[in-house]
Amino acid sequence: METIAIIHICSDSVKMIQIKLNKNNAYNLVEEYTEAIKMTEHLDSNGNILSNNISSLINILKNYKTICDSKKISRIITIAGDALRSATNCDIIVDLIQKRIDLDIQVINREKEAYYNYLSVSAFTGYENALIMGLVGNQLQLIRMKNRKQEAYFSVSVEALDPKNFDPSFSEEQIRLEVASILSTIPWLEDVQDLPVVSIGEFMEQMAKISIIESSYPLDILHGYTTSLEQIDDMYQKSGSSSPSQLKHWEGFFEHNRNSFRSQLFFVSELMKALNKGSLCLCSKDVKYGVFYDYLLESKILIIRSPLMHSIENILKIMELDALHAFQIRWLSMEIFMNLKPYLDMDDVSDIDLNNIVNTSALLHDSGIIINYYNHHHHSFWVILNAPICGLSHKELLMSAYTASFHRKNNSYVDFEKYSSLLTKKDISIIEKLGVILKLSESLDKRMDNVVKNIDFTITDTEVIMDLSASTYPDMELRDAELLLSDFKRVIGKDLILK
Protein backbone atom coordinates (compact mmCIF):
# COMPACT_ATOMS: atom_id res chain seq x y z
CA MET A 1 0.00 0.00 0.00
CA GLU A 2 1.28 3.45 -0.90
CA THR A 3 -0.08 6.98 -1.08
CA ILE A 4 0.86 9.24 -3.96
CA ALA A 5 0.66 13.03 -3.84
CA ILE A 6 0.35 15.06 -7.02
CA ILE A 7 0.91 18.81 -6.83
CA HIS A 8 -0.07 21.10 -9.68
CA ILE A 9 1.21 24.69 -9.77
CA CYS A 10 -1.36 26.72 -11.70
CA SER A 11 -1.43 30.42 -12.56
CA ASP A 12 -3.91 31.27 -9.78
CA SER A 13 -3.57 28.38 -7.31
CA VAL A 14 -1.47 25.46 -6.15
CA LYS A 15 -3.41 22.21 -5.88
CA MET A 16 -2.60 18.86 -4.33
CA ILE A 17 -4.39 15.53 -4.37
CA GLN A 18 -3.43 12.44 -2.40
CA ILE A 19 -4.44 9.05 -3.77
CA LYS A 20 -4.06 5.82 -1.82
CA LEU A 21 -3.05 2.83 -3.93
CA ASN A 22 -3.70 -0.55 -2.30
CA LYS A 23 -1.95 -3.86 -2.88
CA ASN A 24 -4.78 -5.08 -5.08
CA ASN A 25 -4.29 -1.99 -7.29
CA ALA A 26 -7.50 -0.39 -6.04
CA TYR A 27 -7.15 3.33 -5.39
CA ASN A 28 -9.15 6.19 -3.94
CA LEU A 29 -8.75 9.91 -3.35
CA VAL A 30 -8.06 10.60 0.33
CA GLU A 31 -7.24 14.33 0.41
CA GLU A 32 -7.48 17.39 -1.81
CA TYR A 33 -6.03 20.85 -1.17
CA THR A 34 -6.19 24.17 -3.01
CA GLU A 35 -4.28 27.32 -2.07
CA ALA A 36 -4.89 30.53 -4.02
CA ILE A 37 -1.96 32.41 -5.48
CA LYS A 38 -1.67 34.99 -8.27
CA MET A 39 1.82 34.33 -9.54
CA THR A 40 1.59 35.66 -13.06
CA GLU A 41 -0.96 38.43 -12.62
CA HIS A 42 1.82 40.97 -12.05
CA LEU A 43 5.30 40.45 -13.54
CA ASP A 44 8.18 42.88 -13.62
CA SER A 45 9.28 44.57 -16.82
CA ASN A 46 11.53 41.62 -17.70
CA GLY A 47 8.78 39.03 -17.30
CA ASN A 48 9.96 37.76 -13.91
CA ILE A 49 7.60 36.52 -11.20
CA LEU A 50 7.80 38.96 -8.29
CA SER A 51 9.66 38.01 -5.11
CA ASN A 52 6.58 38.18 -2.87
CA ASN A 53 4.75 35.72 -5.13
CA ILE A 54 7.80 33.44 -5.11
CA SER A 55 7.76 33.53 -1.31
CA SER A 56 4.04 32.68 -1.28
CA LEU A 57 4.65 29.75 -3.62
CA ILE A 58 7.50 28.43 -1.47
CA ASN A 59 5.38 28.68 1.69
CA ILE A 60 2.51 26.78 0.08
CA LEU A 61 4.81 24.05 -1.21
CA LYS A 62 6.57 23.86 2.17
CA ASN A 63 3.19 23.31 3.87
CA TYR A 64 2.25 20.65 1.32
CA LYS A 65 5.59 18.92 1.83
CA THR A 66 5.04 18.95 5.62
CA ILE A 67 1.62 17.34 5.14
CA CYS A 68 3.14 14.69 2.88
CA ASP A 69 5.95 13.95 5.35
CA SER A 70 3.54 13.65 8.28
CA LYS A 71 1.39 11.20 6.29
CA LYS A 72 4.43 9.29 5.07
CA ILE A 73 3.57 9.87 1.42
CA SER A 74 5.66 7.48 -0.63
CA ARG A 75 5.88 9.57 -3.79
CA ILE A 76 5.34 13.25 -4.59
CA ILE A 77 4.94 14.31 -8.21
CA THR A 78 4.99 18.08 -8.74
CA ILE A 79 4.19 19.66 -12.09
CA ALA A 80 3.92 23.23 -13.35
CA GLY A 81 2.61 24.45 -16.65
CA ASP A 82 2.43 27.88 -18.18
CA ALA A 83 2.36 29.55 -14.75
CA LEU A 84 6.09 28.93 -14.37
CA ARG A 85 7.02 28.03 -17.92
CA SER A 86 6.34 31.51 -19.28
CA ALA A 87 8.25 33.34 -16.54
CA THR A 88 11.74 34.56 -17.32
CA ASN A 89 13.02 33.44 -13.90
CA CYS A 90 11.44 29.97 -14.12
CA ASP A 91 14.72 28.04 -13.77
CA ILE A 92 15.79 30.15 -10.79
CA ILE A 93 12.48 29.45 -9.00
CA VAL A 94 12.68 25.71 -9.70
CA ASP A 95 16.22 25.53 -8.34
CA LEU A 96 15.27 27.58 -5.29
CA ILE A 97 12.37 25.26 -4.45
CA GLN A 98 14.56 22.19 -4.87
CA LYS A 99 17.18 23.57 -2.49
CA ARG A 100 14.83 24.92 0.17
CA ILE A 101 12.17 22.21 0.21
CA ASP A 102 13.82 19.26 -1.54
CA LEU A 103 10.99 19.12 -4.02
CA ASP A 104 11.58 18.38 -7.69
CA ILE A 105 9.31 20.23 -10.11
CA GLN A 106 8.58 19.08 -13.64
CA VAL A 107 7.91 22.12 -15.79
CA ILE A 108 5.84 20.55 -18.54
CA ASN A 109 5.38 21.91 -22.03
CA ARG A 110 2.04 22.30 -23.77
CA GLU A 111 2.36 18.97 -25.55
CA LYS A 112 2.77 17.15 -22.23
CA GLU A 113 -0.08 19.12 -20.68
CA ALA A 114 -2.33 18.11 -23.57
CA TYR A 115 -1.26 14.49 -23.13
CA TYR A 116 -2.23 14.53 -19.44
CA ASN A 117 -5.59 16.07 -20.29
CA TYR A 118 -6.14 13.39 -22.92
CA LEU A 119 -5.23 10.65 -20.42
CA SER A 120 -7.79 11.98 -17.94
CA VAL A 121 -10.59 11.97 -20.51
CA SER A 122 -9.57 8.58 -21.88
CA ALA A 123 -9.40 6.93 -18.46
CA PHE A 124 -12.30 8.59 -16.65
CA THR A 125 -15.07 9.18 -19.20
CA GLY A 126 -17.07 6.83 -21.40
CA TYR A 127 -16.14 8.44 -24.70
CA GLU A 128 -14.33 6.42 -27.33
CA ASN A 129 -14.05 9.41 -29.63
CA ALA A 130 -14.22 13.07 -28.66
CA LEU A 131 -12.96 16.59 -29.19
CA ILE A 132 -11.36 17.61 -25.89
CA MET A 133 -11.52 21.33 -25.13
CA GLY A 134 -9.46 22.83 -22.32
CA LEU A 135 -9.33 26.48 -21.27
CA VAL A 136 -7.06 27.55 -18.41
CA GLY A 137 -6.59 31.30 -18.17
CA ASN A 138 -5.84 32.29 -21.74
CA GLN A 139 -4.45 28.90 -22.76
CA LEU A 140 -6.69 26.97 -25.17
CA GLN A 141 -6.18 23.29 -25.93
CA LEU A 142 -8.05 21.25 -28.51
CA ILE A 143 -7.36 17.53 -28.65
CA ARG A 144 -8.81 14.95 -31.02
CA MET A 145 -9.28 11.54 -29.42
CA LYS A 146 -10.14 8.50 -31.54
CA ASN A 147 -10.57 4.99 -30.13
CA ARG A 148 -9.25 6.36 -26.82
CA LYS A 149 -6.00 7.40 -28.50
CA GLN A 150 -4.74 10.96 -28.91
CA GLU A 151 -4.59 11.60 -32.64
CA ALA A 152 -3.89 15.33 -32.73
CA TYR A 153 -3.66 18.34 -30.45
CA PHE A 154 -3.51 22.09 -30.75
CA SER A 155 -2.52 24.62 -28.11
CA VAL A 156 -2.46 28.40 -28.31
CA SER A 157 -2.44 31.51 -26.14
CA VAL A 158 -5.58 33.55 -26.73
CA GLU A 159 -4.56 37.17 -26.86
CA ALA A 160 -8.05 38.45 -26.06
CA LEU A 161 -8.04 36.51 -22.80
CA ASP A 162 -4.55 37.38 -21.62
CA PRO A 163 -4.89 39.05 -18.18
CA LYS A 164 -1.65 41.00 -18.69
CA ASN A 165 -3.04 43.03 -21.56
CA PHE A 166 -6.74 42.56 -20.97
CA ASP A 167 -8.99 45.44 -21.94
CA PRO A 168 -11.93 45.75 -19.50
CA SER A 169 -14.09 46.99 -22.35
CA PHE A 170 -13.29 43.96 -24.46
CA SER A 171 -14.77 43.78 -27.93
CA GLU A 172 -17.00 40.85 -28.85
CA GLU A 173 -15.92 41.32 -32.43
CA GLN A 174 -12.27 41.02 -31.38
CA ILE A 175 -12.97 37.63 -29.83
CA ARG A 176 -14.96 36.47 -32.87
CA LEU A 177 -12.07 37.39 -35.13
CA GLU A 178 -9.55 35.60 -32.91
CA VAL A 179 -11.72 32.46 -32.79
CA ALA A 180 -11.88 32.44 -36.59
CA SER A 181 -8.13 33.04 -36.84
CA ILE A 182 -7.32 30.22 -34.40
CA LEU A 183 -9.57 27.68 -36.07
CA SER A 184 -8.23 28.53 -39.52
CA THR A 185 -4.79 27.27 -38.45
CA ILE A 186 -5.95 23.80 -37.32
CA PRO A 187 -5.79 21.39 -40.28
CA TRP A 188 -7.64 18.47 -38.66
CA LEU A 189 -10.81 20.29 -37.57
CA GLU A 190 -12.82 18.87 -40.48
CA ASP A 191 -12.50 15.46 -38.80
CA VAL A 192 -14.27 16.52 -35.58
CA GLN A 193 -17.68 17.48 -36.96
CA ASP A 194 -19.46 14.44 -35.53
CA LEU A 195 -17.49 14.26 -32.27
CA PRO A 196 -18.93 15.20 -28.88
CA VAL A 197 -17.07 17.91 -26.97
CA VAL A 198 -15.52 17.03 -23.60
CA SER A 199 -14.42 20.05 -21.58
CA ILE A 200 -11.64 20.04 -19.03
CA GLY A 201 -9.99 22.64 -16.81
CA GLU A 202 -10.85 24.99 -13.97
CA PHE A 203 -12.84 27.53 -15.98
CA MET A 204 -14.95 24.77 -17.52
CA GLU A 205 -15.66 23.50 -13.99
CA GLN A 206 -16.71 26.97 -12.85
CA MET A 207 -19.01 27.26 -15.82
CA ALA A 208 -20.59 23.88 -14.99
CA LYS A 209 -21.05 24.86 -11.33
CA ILE A 210 -22.92 28.01 -12.30
CA SER A 211 -25.05 26.09 -14.78
CA ILE A 212 -25.99 23.52 -12.12
CA ILE A 213 -27.05 26.27 -9.71
CA GLU A 214 -28.87 28.41 -12.27
CA SER A 215 -30.85 25.46 -13.68
CA SER A 216 -31.70 23.98 -10.24
CA TYR A 217 -30.18 20.74 -11.49
CA PRO A 218 -31.22 17.88 -9.17
CA LEU A 219 -27.76 16.25 -9.00
CA ASP A 220 -24.76 17.90 -7.39
CA ILE A 221 -22.29 16.06 -9.64
CA LEU A 222 -19.77 17.91 -11.78
CA HIS A 223 -18.11 15.00 -13.57
CA GLY A 224 -20.18 14.18 -16.63
CA TYR A 225 -22.39 17.28 -16.39
CA THR A 226 -23.47 18.60 -19.78
CA THR A 227 -23.72 22.34 -20.40
CA SER A 228 -25.64 23.50 -23.46
CA LEU A 229 -24.69 26.39 -25.69
CA GLU A 230 -27.94 28.12 -24.70
CA GLN A 231 -26.93 27.93 -21.02
CA ILE A 232 -23.51 29.39 -21.78
CA ASP A 233 -25.08 32.28 -23.69
CA ASP A 234 -27.51 32.85 -20.81
CA MET A 235 -24.61 32.89 -18.32
CA TYR A 236 -22.80 35.42 -20.48
CA GLN A 237 -25.80 37.73 -20.54
CA LYS A 238 -26.33 37.44 -16.78
CA SER A 239 -22.64 38.01 -16.04
CA GLY A 240 -22.97 41.53 -17.43
CA SER A 241 -25.95 42.37 -15.24
CA SER A 242 -25.77 44.85 -12.38
CA SER A 243 -28.88 43.39 -10.73
CA PRO A 244 -28.10 41.60 -7.43
CA SER A 245 -30.98 39.17 -8.05
CA GLN A 246 -29.46 38.14 -11.38
CA LEU A 247 -26.08 37.44 -9.76
CA LYS A 248 -27.14 35.92 -6.43
CA HIS A 249 -25.57 32.54 -7.30
CA TRP A 250 -22.36 33.93 -8.75
CA GLU A 251 -20.45 34.94 -5.64
CA GLY A 252 -16.80 33.96 -5.87
CA PHE A 253 -16.80 33.04 -9.55
CA PHE A 254 -15.46 36.34 -10.81
CA GLU A 255 -14.49 38.19 -7.67
CA HIS A 256 -11.09 39.13 -9.14
CA ASN A 257 -12.08 40.18 -12.63
CA ARG A 258 -15.66 39.99 -13.87
CA ASN A 259 -14.75 41.18 -17.37
CA SER A 260 -12.12 38.49 -17.73
CA PHE A 261 -14.66 35.86 -16.69
CA ARG A 262 -17.20 37.25 -19.13
CA SER A 263 -14.71 37.23 -21.97
CA GLN A 264 -13.94 33.54 -21.31
CA LEU A 265 -17.66 32.75 -21.42
CA PHE A 266 -18.04 34.61 -24.68
CA PHE A 267 -14.95 32.95 -26.13
CA VAL A 268 -16.24 29.45 -25.33
CA SER A 269 -19.64 30.34 -26.79
CA GLU A 270 -18.14 31.64 -30.04
CA LEU A 271 -15.79 28.67 -30.27
CA MET A 272 -18.68 26.22 -29.95
CA LYS A 273 -20.73 28.09 -32.53
CA ALA A 274 -17.81 28.09 -34.95
CA LEU A 275 -17.38 24.34 -34.41
CA ASN A 276 -21.15 23.83 -34.74
CA LYS A 277 -21.40 22.20 -31.31
CA GLY A 278 -24.51 22.49 -29.16
CA SER A 279 -23.17 21.25 -25.83
CA LEU A 280 -20.09 20.13 -23.94
CA CYS A 281 -19.66 17.49 -21.24
CA LEU A 282 -17.34 18.17 -18.32
CA CYS A 283 -14.51 15.84 -17.32
CA SER A 284 -13.70 17.00 -13.78
CA LYS A 285 -10.64 14.74 -13.66
CA ASP A 286 -8.05 17.27 -14.76
CA VAL A 287 -4.31 17.25 -15.41
CA LYS A 288 -3.53 15.82 -11.94
CA TYR A 289 -5.49 12.66 -12.67
CA GLY A 290 -3.76 12.39 -16.02
CA VAL A 291 -0.45 12.48 -14.14
CA PHE A 292 -1.72 9.76 -11.79
CA TYR A 293 -2.84 7.51 -14.65
CA ASP A 294 0.49 8.10 -16.40
CA TYR A 295 2.19 6.90 -13.20
CA LEU A 296 0.05 3.74 -13.25
CA LEU A 297 0.95 3.15 -16.90
CA GLU A 298 4.67 3.73 -16.43
CA SER A 299 4.72 1.52 -13.34
CA LYS A 300 2.86 -1.18 -15.33
CA ILE A 301 0.25 -1.29 -12.56
CA LEU A 302 -2.81 -1.22 -14.81
CA ILE A 303 -4.29 -0.15 -18.12
CA ILE A 304 -7.84 1.21 -18.11
CA ARG A 305 -9.58 -0.32 -21.12
CA SER A 306 -13.16 0.32 -19.99
CA PRO A 307 -13.60 3.31 -17.65
CA LEU A 308 -17.00 2.04 -16.51
CA MET A 309 -15.95 -1.50 -15.66
CA HIS A 310 -12.66 -0.31 -14.21
CA SER A 311 -14.33 2.19 -11.90
CA ILE A 312 -16.93 -0.36 -10.75
CA GLU A 313 -14.29 -3.03 -10.08
CA ASN A 314 -12.26 -0.41 -8.21
CA ILE A 315 -15.28 0.37 -6.03
CA LEU A 316 -15.87 -3.36 -5.36
CA LYS A 317 -12.29 -3.64 -4.13
CA ILE A 318 -12.29 -0.45 -2.05
CA MET A 319 -15.58 -1.41 -0.35
CA GLU A 320 -14.50 -5.06 -0.03
CA LEU A 321 -17.79 -6.26 -1.48
CA ASP A 322 -18.40 -9.89 -2.47
CA ALA A 323 -17.17 -9.76 -6.07
CA LEU A 324 -18.15 -13.37 -6.90
CA HIS A 325 -21.75 -12.70 -5.85
CA ALA A 326 -21.77 -9.33 -7.65
CA PHE A 327 -20.62 -10.86 -10.94
CA GLN A 328 -23.08 -13.74 -10.59
CA ILE A 329 -25.91 -11.24 -10.17
CA ARG A 330 -24.59 -9.36 -13.18
CA TRP A 331 -24.60 -12.55 -15.28
CA LEU A 332 -28.10 -13.54 -14.15
CA SER A 333 -29.44 -10.02 -14.74
CA MET A 334 -27.96 -9.81 -18.23
CA GLU A 335 -29.27 -13.30 -19.13
CA ILE A 336 -32.79 -12.45 -18.04
CA PHE A 337 -32.68 -8.93 -19.50
CA MET A 338 -31.39 -9.98 -22.94
CA ASN A 339 -34.04 -12.71 -23.27
CA LEU A 340 -36.87 -10.47 -22.08
CA LYS A 341 -35.75 -7.30 -23.86
CA PRO A 342 -37.88 -7.84 -27.02
CA TYR A 343 -40.96 -7.91 -24.79
CA LEU A 344 -40.13 -4.94 -22.54
CA ASP A 345 -41.08 -2.04 -24.85
CA MET A 346 -37.62 -0.48 -24.86
CA ASP A 347 -36.88 -0.36 -28.59
CA ASP A 348 -37.19 3.42 -28.87
CA VAL A 349 -34.72 4.21 -26.06
CA SER A 350 -31.82 6.14 -27.58
CA ASP A 351 -30.38 8.48 -24.94
CA ILE A 352 -29.23 5.75 -22.53
CA ASP A 353 -27.28 2.50 -22.72
CA LEU A 354 -29.47 -0.13 -21.05
CA ASN A 355 -26.58 -2.58 -20.77
CA ASN A 356 -24.62 -0.02 -18.74
CA ILE A 357 -27.55 0.37 -16.33
CA VAL A 358 -28.02 -3.38 -15.92
CA ASN A 359 -24.28 -3.93 -15.35
CA THR A 360 -23.87 -1.06 -12.88
CA SER A 361 -26.96 -1.77 -10.80
CA ALA A 362 -26.19 -5.50 -10.66
CA LEU A 363 -22.53 -5.19 -9.73
CA LEU A 364 -23.14 -2.51 -7.09
CA HIS A 365 -26.55 -3.60 -5.79
CA ASP A 366 -25.05 -4.44 -2.38
CA SER A 367 -22.88 -1.32 -2.11
CA GLY A 368 -25.19 0.16 0.55
CA ILE A 369 -23.88 -2.44 3.00
CA ILE A 370 -20.91 -0.13 3.56
CA ILE A 371 -23.36 2.14 5.45
CA ASN A 372 -25.56 -0.47 7.12
CA TYR A 373 -26.79 -3.95 6.21
CA TYR A 374 -30.33 -3.12 7.29
CA ASN A 375 -32.13 -1.33 4.46
CA HIS A 376 -28.93 -1.52 2.46
CA HIS A 377 -30.92 -1.45 -0.79
CA HIS A 378 -31.96 2.09 0.21
CA HIS A 379 -28.36 3.01 0.98
CA SER A 380 -27.20 1.54 -2.35
CA PHE A 381 -29.11 4.31 -4.11
CA TRP A 382 -27.04 7.02 -2.44
CA VAL A 383 -23.76 5.11 -2.65
CA ILE A 384 -24.08 4.56 -6.40
CA LEU A 385 -25.19 8.14 -6.97
CA ASN A 386 -22.14 9.48 -5.13
CA ALA A 387 -19.52 6.85 -5.97
CA PRO A 388 -16.69 7.71 -8.42
CA ILE A 389 -18.28 5.83 -11.33
CA CYS A 390 -16.91 6.79 -14.74
CA GLY A 391 -18.42 6.17 -18.15
CA LEU A 392 -22.10 6.81 -17.39
CA SER A 393 -24.26 9.76 -18.28
CA HIS A 394 -26.03 11.36 -15.33
CA LYS A 395 -29.32 9.79 -16.40
CA GLU A 396 -27.71 6.34 -16.62
CA LEU A 397 -26.14 6.86 -13.20
CA LEU A 398 -29.47 7.88 -11.66
CA MET A 399 -31.32 4.98 -13.29
CA SER A 400 -28.64 2.55 -12.10
CA ALA A 401 -29.01 3.85 -8.55
CA TYR A 402 -32.80 3.49 -8.67
CA THR A 403 -32.62 0.00 -10.16
CA ALA A 404 -30.22 -1.15 -7.43
CA SER A 405 -32.52 0.26 -4.77
CA PHE A 406 -35.24 -2.14 -5.97
CA HIS A 407 -33.19 -5.30 -5.46
CA ARG A 408 -34.89 -6.37 -2.24
CA LYS A 409 -38.52 -7.44 -1.83
CA ASN A 410 -39.68 -3.98 -0.76
CA ASN A 411 -39.55 -1.06 -3.18
CA SER A 412 -37.23 1.91 -3.36
CA TYR A 413 -38.32 4.66 -1.00
CA VAL A 414 -36.75 7.43 -3.10
CA ASP A 415 -39.31 9.74 -4.69
CA PHE A 416 -39.09 9.94 -8.47
CA GLU A 417 -40.53 13.46 -8.36
CA LYS A 418 -37.25 14.85 -7.02
CA TYR A 419 -35.56 13.94 -10.30
CA SER A 420 -38.43 14.68 -12.67
CA SER A 421 -36.27 17.01 -14.76
CA LEU A 422 -34.03 14.06 -15.65
CA LEU A 423 -36.43 11.10 -15.74
CA THR A 424 -39.40 10.64 -18.05
CA LYS A 425 -42.33 8.30 -17.41
CA LYS A 426 -40.68 5.91 -19.86
CA ASP A 427 -37.45 5.99 -17.82
CA ILE A 428 -39.37 5.19 -14.63
CA SER A 429 -41.09 2.28 -16.37
CA ILE A 430 -37.68 0.96 -17.44
CA ILE A 431 -36.35 1.28 -13.88
CA GLU A 432 -39.28 -0.74 -12.52
CA LYS A 433 -38.74 -3.48 -15.11
CA LEU A 434 -35.00 -3.66 -14.53
CA GLY A 435 -35.67 -3.59 -10.77
CA VAL A 436 -37.85 -6.72 -11.03
CA ILE A 437 -35.15 -8.43 -13.09
CA LEU A 438 -32.56 -7.53 -10.45
CA LYS A 439 -34.82 -8.81 -7.63
CA LEU A 440 -35.24 -12.09 -9.48
CA SER A 441 -31.48 -12.36 -10.05
CA GLU A 442 -30.85 -11.77 -6.35
CA SER A 443 -33.31 -14.55 -5.48
CA LEU A 444 -31.54 -16.95 -7.85
CA ASP A 445 -28.29 -16.50 -5.93
CA LYS A 446 -29.84 -16.47 -2.46
CA ARG A 447 -27.10 -18.67 -0.99
CA MET A 448 -24.45 -16.56 -2.76
CA ASP A 449 -22.71 -19.68 -4.04
CA ASN A 450 -23.31 -19.35 -7.82
CA VAL A 451 -25.60 -22.38 -7.77
CA VAL A 452 -27.37 -21.49 -11.06
CA LYS A 453 -25.19 -22.33 -14.04
CA ASN A 454 -27.50 -21.91 -17.02
CA ILE A 455 -31.04 -20.78 -17.88
CA ASP A 456 -33.13 -21.90 -20.87
CA PHE A 457 -35.97 -19.54 -21.73
CA THR A 458 -39.33 -20.23 -23.32
CA ILE A 459 -41.41 -17.10 -23.77
CA THR A 460 -45.02 -17.09 -24.94
CA ASP A 461 -47.69 -14.42 -25.11
CA THR A 462 -48.60 -15.04 -21.49
CA GLU A 463 -45.66 -16.80 -19.83
CA VAL A 464 -41.93 -16.61 -19.20
CA ILE A 465 -40.67 -20.13 -18.48
CA MET A 466 -37.15 -20.31 -17.02
CA ASP A 467 -35.60 -23.77 -16.91
CA LEU A 468 -32.69 -23.59 -14.45
CA SER A 469 -29.57 -25.74 -14.58
CA ALA A 470 -27.84 -25.76 -11.20
CA SER A 471 -24.95 -27.47 -9.43
CA THR A 472 -27.35 -28.56 -6.65
CA TYR A 473 -31.12 -28.36 -6.36
CA PRO A 474 -31.87 -24.62 -5.85
CA ASP A 475 -34.69 -25.07 -3.34
CA MET A 476 -33.82 -21.93 -1.36
CA GLU A 477 -33.57 -19.88 -4.56
CA LEU A 478 -36.90 -21.15 -5.92
CA ARG A 479 -38.73 -20.40 -2.68
CA ASP A 480 -37.38 -16.88 -2.61
CA ALA A 481 -38.19 -16.28 -6.28
CA GLU A 482 -41.79 -17.40 -5.76
CA LEU A 483 -42.33 -14.29 -3.64
CA LEU A 484 -41.79 -12.20 -6.79
CA LEU A 485 -44.41 -13.82 -8.99
CA SER A 486 -47.05 -11.13 -8.52
CA ASP A 487 -44.53 -8.30 -8.98
CA PHE A 488 -43.21 -9.96 -12.12
CA LYS A 489 -46.70 -10.31 -13.60
CA ARG A 490 -47.61 -6.72 -12.71
CA VAL A 491 -44.46 -5.13 -14.15
CA ILE A 492 -43.47 -7.47 -17.02
CA GLY A 493 -47.02 -8.44 -17.96
CA LYS A 494 -46.41 -12.20 -18.10
CA ASP A 495 -46.59 -15.08 -15.66
CA LEU A 496 -43.22 -16.35 -14.42
CA ILE A 497 -42.71 -20.13 -14.25
CA LEU A 498 -39.47 -21.47 -12.76
CA LYS A 499 -38.37 -25.08 -13.32
Side-chain angles (χ1 to χ4, degrees):
M1 181 183 296
E2 63 174 332
T3 303
I4 301 161
I6 299 167
I7 300 172
H8 184 199
I9 301 171
C10 310
S11 58
D12 59 357
S13 63
V14 183
K15 302 180 179 182
M16 178 172 70
I17 58 173
Q18 294 176 0
I19 299 177
K20 184 178 290 184
L21 184 64
N22 298 329
K23 290 181 179 178
N24 60 2
N25 293 335
Y27 58 85
N28 62 309
L29 177 70
V30 292
E31 286 288 357
E32 184 172 20
Y33 301 86
T34 299
E35 291 287 329
I37 185 172
K38 292 290 181 182
M39 285 194 304
T40 58
E41 189 170 306
H42 301 289
L43 304 175
D44 69 14
S45 58
N46 295 316
N48 293 306
I49 294 175
L50 302 178
S51 59
N52 60 325
N53 288 334
I54 296 173
S55 298
S56 296
L57 174 62
I58 289 175
N59 285 334
I60 292 170
L61 293 175
K62 187 181 294 183
N63 289 335
Y64 283 177
K65 182 69 161 48
T66 300
I67 293 170
C68 291
D69 290 343
S70 67
K71 292 190 174 184
K72 297 181 172 53
I73 301 295
S74 51
R75 182 178 177 86
I76 304 173
I77 303 173
T78 306
I79 63 166
D82 193 65
L84 279 183
R85 186 176 58 229
S86 60
T88 304
N89 55 346
C90 171
D91 292 340
I92 296 173
I93 295 171
V94 170
D95 288 342
L96 188 62
I97 291 169
Q98 207 286 325
K99 290 175 182 176
R100 290 195 182 181
I101 313 175
D102 191 24
L103 201 61
D104 293 323
I105 297 178
Q106 302 173 32
V107 181
I108 58 175
N109 57 27
R110 291 182 180 178
E111 182 177 5
K112 195 70 170 180
E113 198 166 15
Y115 176 69
Y116 288 144
N117 278 331
Y118 144 73
L119 280 183
S120 292
V121 173
S122 173
F124 302 111
T125 75
Y127 293 99
E128 294 281 341
N129 307 293
L131 173 65
I132 303 168
M133 180 189 298
L135 183 63
V136 179
N138 72 321
Q139 301 297 313
L140 171 70
Q141 284 188 348
L142 294 173
I143 305 162
R144 187 179 68 197
M145 182 177 73
K146 184 176 182 180
N147 297 323
R148 297 197 178 279
K149 301 293 183 183
Q150 178 179 314
E151 280 208 330
Y153 91 96
F154 177 83
S155 181
V156 67
S157 298
V158 183
E159 290 298 321
L161 304 182
D162 191 339
K164 292 194 295 292
N165 55 22
F166 183 73
D167 180 2
S169 58
F170 74 93
S171 164
E172 293 181 352
E173 185 60 27
Q174 178 189 358
I175 289 180
R176 288 194 187 98
L177 290 172
E178 189 158 5
V179 167
S181 175
I182 289 170
L183 296 186
S184 68
T185 63
I186 308 176
W188 45 263
L189 272 185
E190 60 184 23
D191 298 326
V192 305
Q193 292 180 359
D194 298 325
L195 296 182
V197 180
V198 180
S199 63
I200 195 166
E202 187 170 5
F203 173 74
M204 299 298 190
E205 279 199 19
Q206 289 180 328
M207 194 167 63
K209 287 177 183 177
I210 294 172
S211 178
I212 285 174
I213 296 170
E214 289 284 322
S215 63
S216 300
Y217 192 67
L219 298 178
D220 187 19
I221 303 172
L222 277 176
H223 188 67
Y225 177 76
T226 297
T227 308
S228 69
L229 177 59
E230 290 76 14
Q231 287 173 313
I232 296 171
D233 285 341
D234 184 60
M235 280 186 263
Y236 171 66
Q237 295 301 325
K238 285 183 178 178
S239 68
S241 171
S242 59
S243 169
S245 62
Q246 288 270 53
L247 301 174
K248 63 181 178 180
H249 301 309
W250 291 60
E251 185 177 353
F253 286 108
F254 47 52
E255 58 184 336
H256 296 293
N257 194 327
R258 180 194 293 203
N259 287 315
S260 178
F261 191 84
R262 292 193 72 222
S263 66
Q264 288 175 309
L265 280 171
F266 189 76
F267 177 83
V268 171
S269 172
E270 289 301 306
L271 187 61
M272 290 177 64
K273 289 171 185 173
L275 293 170
N276 196 27
K277 303 296 182 182
S279 64
L280 46 81
C281 180
L282 177 68
C283 173
S284 65
K285 311 294 186 182
D286 58 7
V287 168
K288 299 185 295 298
Y289 286 87
V291 172
F292 173 68
Y293 183 38
D294 187 55
Y295 169 78
L296 297 181
L297 289 172
E298 288 188 351
S299 305
K300 296 182 172 56
I301 292 173
L302 61 86
I303 297 175
I304 300 175
R305 304 190 188 280
S306 166
L308 176 59
M309 285 307 302
H310 168 73
S311 60
I312 291 175
E313 290 172 4
N314 190 63
I315 292 166
L316 289 172
K317 292 176 183 177
I318 292 294
M319 294 184 179
E320 298 183 342
L321 298 174
D322 187 336
L324 289 177
H325 174 62
F327 276 93
Q328 176 71 356
I329 297 301
R330 176 204 186 196
W331 171 73
L332 288 166
S333 295
M334 285 302 300
E335 282 289 298
I336 299 169
F337 169 68
M338 294 306 295
N339 280 276
L340 291 183
K341 187 178 179 182
Y343 309 93
L344 296 179
D345 186 28
M346 298 181 182
D347 292 338
D348 58 345
V349 176
S350 59
D351 62 338
I352 54 175
D353 188 319
L354 293 169
N355 289 351
N356 283 349
I357 297 170
V358 174
N359 279 321
T360 304
S361 59
L363 287 169
L364 296 177
H365 71 281
D366 275 340
S367 59
I369 290 174
I370 196 169
I371 298 174
N372 192 343
Y373 172 79
Y374 298 104
N375 291 322
H376 72 263
H377 58 299
H378 292 170
H379 305 318
S380 291
F381 177 91
W382 301 109
V383 171
I384 291 174
L385 205 57
N386 292 281
I389 299 174
C390 302
L392 295 179
S393 69
H394 281 191
K395 177 182 276 195
E396 290 169 343
L397 181 66
L398 182 59
M399 292 179 71
S400 298
Y402 265 117
T403 302
S405 72
F406 277 98
H407 83 267
R408 302 293 291 272
K409 298 302 176 290
N410 41 351
N411 291 330
S412 169
Y413 77 108
V414 185
D415 186 3
F416 285 116
E417 185 63 30
K418 181 177 180 180
Y419 303 100
S420 58
S421 61
L422 278 178
L423 299 178
T424 65
K425 289 183 179 179
K426 178 83 172 195
D427 297 327
I428 294 171
S429 174
I430 290 172
I431 290 168
E432 291 173 340
K433 291 170 183 176
L434 297 183
V436 166
I437 290 172
L438 185 56
K439 284 182 189 178
L440 179 57
S441 302
E442 177 82 345
S443 292
L444 295 180
D445 197 42
K446 187 67 176 177
R447 284 175 287 185
M448 304 177 71
D449 63 351
N450 298 8
V451 64
V452 176
K453 302 300 182 183
N454 187 58
I455 307 174
D456 290 322
F457 290 83
T458 303
I459 302 175
T460 69
D461 290 340
T462 59
E463 295 177 334
V464 175
I465 303 169
M466 295 172 54
D467 191 355
L468 309 178
S469 298
S471 55
T472 60
Y473 184 67
D475 57 326
M476 190 175 184
E477 284 72 21
L478 291 172
R479 283 196 303 273
D480 201 63
E482 284 177 358
L483 301 174
L484 297 173
L485 297 182
S486 61
D487 270 0
F488 191 92
K489 175 65 180 291
R490 175 179 56 82
V491 175
I492 305 299
K494 298 179 186 291
D495 290 313
L496 174 64
I497 299 173
L498 297 167
K499 299 197 297 184

